[in-house]
Amino acid sequence: MGVIKRLIRKLEVSDQEDMSFTEQFLANEDLVPVPPEKRTWGTWNFIAFWIADSFNINTWMIVSSMVQLGLSWWQAWICVWIGYGVVAPFIVANARPGAIFHVTFPVVARTSFGLYGSLWCVFNRGAMACIWYGVQASIGGTCMLVMLRAIWPSVNNIPNSMPESSGTNTRDFMCFFLFWLISLPAIWFPIHKIRHLFTVKAVVAPAAGITFFIWCIVKAHGVGPIVRQPATIHGSELGWSMVVSLMSCISNMATLVTNAPDFASRAKYPSAAGLPQLISVPLGFSIVSFVGIIVSSSSQTLYGEAIWSPIDLLNRFLDNNPSHATRFGVWFIAASFIIAQLGTNISANSISAGCDLTALFPRFINIRRGGFIAAIVGLCMLPWNLLKSSNSFTSYLSAYSVFLSSIAGVMITEYWVIRKGHFRVKDLYSTRRDGWYWYTYGINFRAYAAYIAGILINVVGFAGATGRTVPLAATRIYEMSFFTGFGVSALVFWVLNHFFPVPGASSKFQEIDVSQDDNTSTSGGDEESVSDYDRKDLDKGVVKTEVMPVAAS
């Protein structure tokens, strides 16, 4: 037993001998408020982050589905502008508590769902982050194949030694594994330092995109026919197709809306997570999608068909014994796409999974360990099989925004409407029965009723998306799933809080930690501020579940 105890002690993320099991469940170094020395993200870091995040293969190709619906290129591009322009305020709104109080998504979720009720939201987000990590790594593997093929053309002809049941072949698995492997060092860096990766990506990836853009126009002697192609649908069909298109942009960002506090918690000052994100989100994604439109249009002139995937197009460039200059150009662009895909996977999945798993198992997991767990799960789940074998699985991943939008609806309403910026930070790490976030045995049933309501309104439409016959009205509701999920959950949460008010509900908006207004006395009779008392403990990763009573709020 002594050996097992020593092993368990070594697996713990910090020395927590003086903490009870309950205390260990609520905090570790990555869950407590970020100390000032780790608040390193300034205005330009957030701008670089979104420029970097926007440059990825999904954004490049997002217009393809819109054009295939029958939209002209400029109508599709307007949808991109509107979609990302609309979602940016949601990101800023949910990032605000992280920027003000310097806590991550799992801790912010405690304010609305409760100390223990938040764990379901955290588990959902963490599980999906692990799955998406594998999916994005699989896409990164295709970039690796193109880059290696540009250096050694014989890579394309590597004999297959893997069985058909594996769902892949030796060449593709080798490229996937190489991408997976080079991603591991990036997971090691803490959030306040990983900003440098996004700065590098914000320089390299756009440079590669502009190079690709100019190269294709020159090679095709023009911008191609897609830019002259009119819309093939009209009237209400065109209107609803545009709605579906802009909603695809919004749904694509549902994950980053939900976990916005993760990065905002590292902000040097609150405004760094405000206007810079509001502007850079629509601008970055719209520019990248425009480059994708022109490159794909040029490909139709070159090959007689529009090739929307930049990786497939680069692969075409390597056919028929290309020149050394062509191979170098393809290598540079493919290598940049690898950096782009790596940065996207770290920002959207690795860090998110790390933060979420930290909240689920704070005694043994920190953000770094959580990121490595996500990488291992992404490898073991064989993501290429999921992408190849099931269209319904891809539909499910896309539809998951319904669940996330319902969570975001509750969180944003809690901060901006119910408690109006008022936080009680010490109660986020305390199981006191009179704490703001204890609710009913640590669960806020108002939040769960609202969350379920936001999901239920989209359930019938989701069934239609998987191939079942459903009423047209249900389909229309589901086509606006982010807004219907967010709106219904927010409205139900507000109504329930009106009839069943919670501690700390305020009529005046003021972003303040009311812990600083509380006083308590120690058993020895010496007066000490609760905020100071708890802050010292929080800075050391320690929480207290038994604190002297405070004045009623």
Side-chain angles (χ1 to χ4, degrees):
M1 291 297 293
V3 175
I4 295 176
K5 285 185 177 180
R6 284 196 298 272
L7 178 61
I8 291 175
R9 185 65 62 194
K10 285 191 174 293
L11 290 175
E12 290 177 347
V13 296
S14 61
D15 184 14
Q16 299 175 323
E17 290 185 6
D18 59 338
M19 296 173 64
S20 69
F21 176 79
T22 302
E23 291 168 344
Q24 293 171 1
F25 198 73
L26 291 175
N28 67 14
E29 185 181 1
D30 287 332
L31 287 174
V32 298
V34 177
E37 64 270 16
K38 293 184 178 180
R39 301 171 193 170
T40 56
W41 283 55
T43 297
W44 289 106
N45 293 120
F46 280 97
I47 292 174
F49 170 79
W50 284 112
I51 292 174
D53 191 75
S54 65
F55 197 96
N56 63 72
I57 294 174
N58 288 337
T59 307
W60 189 284
M61 296 176 59
I62 198 165
V63 171
S64 65
S65 59
M66 304 179 191
V67 172
Q68 289 167 8
L69 284 174
L71 273 63
S72 66
W73 77 270
W74 63 267
Q75 290 169 338
W77 200 41
I78 288 176
C79 290
V80 172
W81 273 103
I82 296 175
Y84 287 104
V86 166
V87 80
F90 289 93
I91 294 173
V92 172
N94 207 31
R96 186 68 180 181
I100 293 291
F101 301 102
H102 305 287
V103 288
T104 56
F105 158 69
V107 180
V108 175
R110 292 175 184 177
T111 65
S112 49
F113 286 88
L115 294 176
Y116 301 138
S118 63
L119 296 179
W120 171 250
C121 306
V122 170
F123 170 78
N124 271 264
R125 174 68 195 103
M128 290 309 301
C130 291
I131 293 174
W132 270 113
Y133 187 97
V135 171
Q136 293 287 3
S138 183
I139 297 173
T142 62
C143 302
M144 181 66 71
L145 172 59
V146 174
M147 188 189 76
L148 294 178
R149 188 184 171 198
I151 304 172
W152 301 291
S154 58
V155 166
N156 205 43
N157 301 316
I158 292 178
N160 180 36
S161 59
M162 301 184 72
E164 186 176 348
S165 59
S166 67
T168 186
N169 56 55
T170 302
R171 179 199 67 188
D172 292 347
F173 179 76
M174 176 193 73
C175 295
F176 166 80
F177 186 77
L178 285 174
F179 179 86
W180 181 87
L181 198 63
I182 65 172
S183 300
L184 298 182
I187 298 175
W188 178 265
F189 293 98
I191 297 177
H192 65 283
K193 292 184 178 179
I194 199 64
R195 70 189 191 280
H196 300 306
L197 170 64
F198 302 127
T199 301
V200 171
K201 180 184 170 183
V203 174
V204 174
I210 293 171
T211 301
F212 202 7
F213 177 82
I214 296 173
W215 190 10
C216 287
I217 292 176
V218 172
K219 195 177 179 71
H221 304 290
V223 294
I226 290 180
V227 296
R228 294 184 292 273
Q229 180 178 302
T232 58
I233 53 177
H234 306 280
S236 62
E237 185 180 2
L238 172 61
W240 277 106
S241 294
M242 293 187 73
V243 169
V244 170
S245 297
L246 67 89
M247 287 306 303
S248 69
C249 300
I250 296 173
S251 298
N252 194 39
M253 298 292 286
T255 295
L256 291 166
V257 170
T258 307
N259 72 332
D262 290 343
F263 294 100
S265 65
R266 269 67 182 176
K268 287 182 181 179
Y269 35 85
S271 60
L275 189 61
Q277 297 195 99
L278 202 63
I279 295 174
S280 56
V281 169
L283 185 63
F285 283 86
S286 298
I287 290 174
V288 172
S289 65
F290 177 75
V291 172
I293 293 169
I294 300 303
V295 169
S296 301
S297 181
S298 300
S299 72
Q300 187 162 336
T301 299
L302 295 172
Y303 298 105
E305 60 176 327
I307 303 174
W308 288 99
S309 168
I311 300 305
D312 291 345
L313 182 56
L314 289 172
N315 249 328
R316 287 285 191 98
F317 284 5
L318 294 176
D319 291 341
N320 303 318
N321 299 316
S323 66
H324 291 296
T326 297
R327 286 170 55 188
F328 175 78
V330 170
W331 172 85
F332 169 70
I333 296 170
S336 300
F337 270 114
I338 289 175
I339 296 173
Q341 202 64 21
L342 169 62
T344 298
N345 220 8
I346 295 296
S347 64
N349 301 314
S350 173
I351 290 176
S352 300
C355 291
D356 296 340
L357 292 174
T358 295
L360 294 175
F361 306 100
R363 183 180 176 185
F364 299 104
I365 298 178
N366 54 21
I367 293 176
R368 178 181 292 159
R369 290 184 183 182
F372 284 121
I373 290 172
I376 293 171
V377 173
L379 174 64
C380 295
M381 62 179 271
L382 310 179
W384 52 86
N385 284 334
L386 296 176
L387 292 174
K388 289 179 180 178
S389 63
S390 176
N391 289 330
S392 61
F393 176 78
T394 305
S395 298
Y396 174 74
L397 287 180
S398 300
Y400 206 74
S401 65
V402 173
F403 299 87
L404 298 180
S405 66
S406 297
I407 294 173
V410 171
M411 291 176 64
I412 291 176
T413 304
E414 150 68 27
Y415 185 78
W416 292 94
V417 179
I418 305 302
R419 289 196 172 102
K420 294 182 172 61
H422 291 67
F423 254 54
R424 206 175 190 183
V425 174
K426 67 183 182 62
D427 284 352
L428 291 168
Y429 308 94
S430 170
T431 55
R432 295 181 344 176
R433 301 306 185 260
D434 63 342
W436 278 14
Y437 312 117
W438 178 248
Y439 297 111
T440 306
Y441 299 103
I443 300 173
N444 185 0
F445 291 101
R446 306 166 191 78
Y448 269 94
Y451 167 69
I452 293 170
I455 294 172
L456 288 179
I457 194 171
N458 288 292
V459 165
V460 178
F462 172 66
T466 59
R468 293 173 175 81
T469 302
V470 299
L472 179 62
T475 300
R476 298 305 191 206
I477 290 173
Y478 180 72
E479 287 173 345
M480 298 185 294
S481 58
F482 181 88
F483 290 124
T484 52
F486 182 97
V488 169
S489 64
L491 179 62
V492 171
F493 188 63
W494 177 79
V495 170
L496 290 176
N497 275 275
H498 178 74
F499 289 103
F500 307 98
V502 296
S506 178
S507 59
K508 177 184 177 182
F509 188 86
Q510 184 180 15
E511 293 174 308
I512 184 173
D513 175 10
V514 299
S515 303
Q516 298 173 0
D517 297 330
D518 295 334
N519 290 318
T520 187
S521 60
T522 63
S523 56
D526 295 329
E527 294 295 319
E528 185 179 30
S529 164
V530 171
S531 177
D532 294 339
Y533 173 74
D534 281 358
R535 180 68 62 184
K536 294 176 204 171
D537 290 325
L538 291 178
D539 288 342
K540 295 185 293 184
V542 178
V543 292
K544 298 293 181 183
T545 57
E546 295 298 333
V547 183
M548 292 293 179
V550 298
S553 56

